[in-house]
Amino acid sequence: MRTRAAVCWEVGKPWEITELELADPDPEEVVVKLEYAGLCHSDDHNITGDFPAALPVVGGHEGAGEVVAVGVNVDRVQVGDPVLLVATPTCGKCRYCADGRSYICDSNQDVFTGRRADGSTAFSTLDGRGLGGYAQLGTFSEYTLVRQQRVVRYERDIPAAVAAITSCGVVTGYGSAVRVGGVRQGDTVVVVGTGGVGMSAVMGARAVGAAKIIAVDPVPFKREQALKLGATHAAPSIEEAQTLIAELTRNAMADVAVITVGVLRGDLILPVSRLVAKGGAVVITSVARHDDQTVALPISEFSLSAKRLLGCVFGQTRSLTDVDRILDLYRAGQLPLDDLITRTYSLDEINKGYEDMHAGLNIRGVIAF
């Protein structure tokens, strides 16, 4: 099968639209015809070199579409099913899946190789050169080939564009606040960085009843949107947020801080840690540069205040159960996910979409196929 896809050939070069060959599905794989793909910042890390995958790679890890072919052993979905694609596989057999932590399934260990289970590639150039798919998905393509554990069926009353952004950005942001941060009714929450993931954290905090939600972002448009989507207050910088939170809480500070900036720097942890109260949590959801290994942290102040620094992958989402719950909240009007989608682009406009992201014009851009 032929497909047109956006490829990152090397760091520093823009996405290139290329015609590729898609392999036939093995017994455990499915072919998905993409309808929408989200322009997540994580894919842009391949272009900037902040956190690149094995190159060359077909980009995209956020998407939704329809199953058009299945391998002989596929039993999760069938041809014609609408599915969204998830960034973390769930085998259902390892110790982590068995104890309810499928978001750190052992199958994750080879996700960033971009290759199939047998080491081959799903994509190849017309002259036979193999290309991986980002996060083993490659949703910046008209068609993609993935293992059945990477797809989740959804009902057609959910718009495909909403399903696409839910597959990663929404579940990651929502889970950062609700599952990792453990936001409770009446809490004060601060979200640092309000792109698609950060805005989903704002929505999640609102949905579980946080009393005060402070959105921190230097871009006026994003602060305005955050106030429309659930934030009670907004600040353009961490310094101004610190003063604001102190006033709002009588110096107690926030219960939870979620970091969802585009590229995390190690020196950001210290000022964010001072936004949270004794016993509070700092949730790290952002991607840092691959060579940034240093974190500034006031060790005694942090430990004696019983603060917690928490890593977050995929919002600790258990894809086979939590995705449906989040979509039910959308149906109930508690998560206005349509409002996250700022602009729609064609595949050929992908570089324009990322230019707009960097310019602060989008909460989430999507590709429509």
Side-chain angles (χ1 to χ4, degrees):
M1 175 184 290
R2 294 278 178 94
T3 185
R4 294 176 72 247
V7 177
C8 176
W9 294 101
E10 59 181 285
V11 170
K13 298 291 183 66
W15 296 102
E16 181 180 315
I17 309 305
T18 308
E19 187 173 30
L20 301 172
E21 290 280 357
L22 190 69
D24 294 328
D26 76 11
E28 298 287 338
E29 291 178 327
V30 302
V31 178
V32 177
K33 183 180 187 298
L34 273 298
E35 296 174 17
Y36 286 91
L39 296 176
C40 182
H41 201 138
S42 294
D43 297 284
D44 187 64
H45 294 311
N46 291 295
I47 301 296
T48 63
D50 292 327
F51 199 91
L55 301 180
V57 66
V58 174
H61 67 286
E62 196 176 82
E66 181 177 306
V67 175
V68 295
V70 298
V72 296
N73 293 337
V74 170
D75 55 12
R76 287 194 183 185
V77 294
Q78 58 188 358
V79 171
D81 280 348
V83 295
L84 53 81
L85 292 88
V86 292
T88 56
T90 301
C91 73
K93 300 175 182 178
C94 71
R95 59 175 291 193
Y96 300 104
C97 286
D99 71 7
R101 294 181 291 167
S102 58
Y103 47 86
I104 48 173
C105 171
D106 279 341
S107 298
N108 279 301
Q109 63 186 346
D110 61 349
V111 162
F112 282 108
T113 68
R115 293 179 172 268
R116 302 159 81 191
D118 63 1
S120 65
T121 60
F123 301 94
S124 61
T125 60
L126 302 187
D127 60 2
R129 181 183 180 186
L131 293 88
Y134 187 62
Q136 295 176 325
L137 295 177
T139 60
F140 293 165
S141 176
E142 296 167 329
Y143 294 87
T144 193
L145 174 66
V146 299
R147 298 187 71 188
Q148 65 170 329
Q149 61 187 245
R150 309 303 296 281
V151 297
V152 175
R153 188 183 182 280
Y154 70 95
E155 300 299 328
R156 275 293 186 189
D157 65 312
I158 302 296
V162 168
I165 64 170
T166 297
S167 71
C168 179
V170 171
V171 297
T172 300
Y174 177 94
S176 296
V178 177
R179 281 186 286 273
V180 183
V183 174
R184 299 171 299 177
Q185 189 174 30
D187 275 356
T188 297
V189 180
V190 56
V191 179
V192 183
T194 53
V197 175
M199 209 70 80
S200 298
V202 168
M203 288 184 180
R206 177 189 180 187
V208 297
K212 303 179 187 71
I213 304 169
I214 299 90
V216 183
D217 201 294
V219 180
F221 166 68
K222 293 184 178 181
R223 295 198 303 274
E224 292 167 6
Q225 292 301 112
L227 291 169
K228 293 178 182 178
L229 295 176
T232 59
H233 301 79
S237 68
I238 292 175
E239 294 74 22
E240 290 177 72
Q242 186 165 15
T243 300
L244 174 62
I245 295 167
E247 292 173 351
L248 292 171
T249 63
R250 298 179 183 175
N251 293 317
M253 306 307 287
D255 300 287
V256 178
V258 182
I259 304 176
T260 46
V261 296
V263 181
L264 177 62
R265 305 185 317 273
D267 60 7
L268 189 64
I269 304 297
L270 171 57
V272 173
S273 75
R274 288 180 169 156
L275 299 179
V276 299
K278 293 182 291 184
V282 177
V283 179
I284 299 177
T285 300
S286 301
V287 175
R289 279 190 55 87
H290 64 90
D291 55 359
D292 189 347
Q293 306 290 326
T294 304
V295 173
L297 191 69
I299 298 174
S300 295
E301 174 188 326
F302 203 85
S303 62
L304 293 175
S305 297
K307 296 180 182 180
R308 293 165 291 143
L309 186 63
L310 304 171
C312 173
V313 58
F314 199 47
Q316 290 188 356
T317 301
R318 300 160 299 177
S319 58
L320 294 180
T321 57
D322 294 334
V323 168
D324 280 341
R325 292 174 178 174
I326 286 174
L327 293 178
D328 278 342
L329 289 172
Y330 167 76
R331 290 185 177 98
Q334 295 184 47
L335 294 177
L337 303 181
D338 301 277
D339 294 334
L340 292 178
I341 301 170
T342 316
R343 288 175 177 80
T344 300
Y345 305 87
S346 69
L347 181 62
D348 293 293
E349 295 173 319
I350 185 171
N351 291 305
K352 170 60 175 171
Y354 275 112
E355 288 174 10
D356 288 348
M357 182 199 75
H358 284 292
L361 300 178
N362 288 343
I363 302 303
R364 184 61 111 224
V366 296
I367 293 172
F369 291 93

